[in-house]
Amino acid sequence: MNQTRDIFQAIADPTRRQIIGMLAGKSLNVNAIAQEFDMTRQAVSLHVQFLNDCGLIVIKQQGRERYCEAKFERLNEVRDWIDQYRKYWDNKFDALEGYLDKIQKKKK
């Protein structure tokens, strides 16, 4: 599978995030997804294709219907990116907590 889209672009759009949420629990066809939005089916199909292109979902043909299934492994890239900043801020807050403890001990 060759991902041609950026995962961060995919999750930046609220419609695509909502589609991801819908697919978290079950596989849905494109029509079922489109019914949840106040936009054309074609517009929803473009969002679905974007998610497919970046590897967050896979589209499977079953008869005449196209079913979308979530593939969240690709979100690990987002988690890893966030984790580096979480570690940075955890260290900063730990240092601040240590500094505040030191100041309070001096006041006693």
Side-chain angles (χ1 to χ4, degrees), residues 2 5 10 20 23 25-26 33 38-39 41 43 46 57 66-67 72 74 80 84 86-87 90-91 98:
N2 181 19
R5 303 278 187 153
I20 292 167
L23 296 174
K26 59 186 170 192
I33 295 169
D38 187 24
M39 65 179 73
R41 185 187 182 288
L46 290 173
I57 68 171
R66 293 176 27 189
Y67 282 87
F72 294 131
R74 196 68 210 284
D80 294 344
Q84 68 182 336
R86 180 181 307 130
K87 290 173 188 173
D90 284 347
N91 290 337

Side-chain angles (χ1 to χ4, degrees), residues 84-95:
Q84 68 182 336
Y85 295 103
R86 180 181 307 130
K87 290 173 188 173
Y88 170 81
W89 285 108
D90 284 347
N91 290 337
K92 292 294 183 186
F93 286 128
D94 288 346

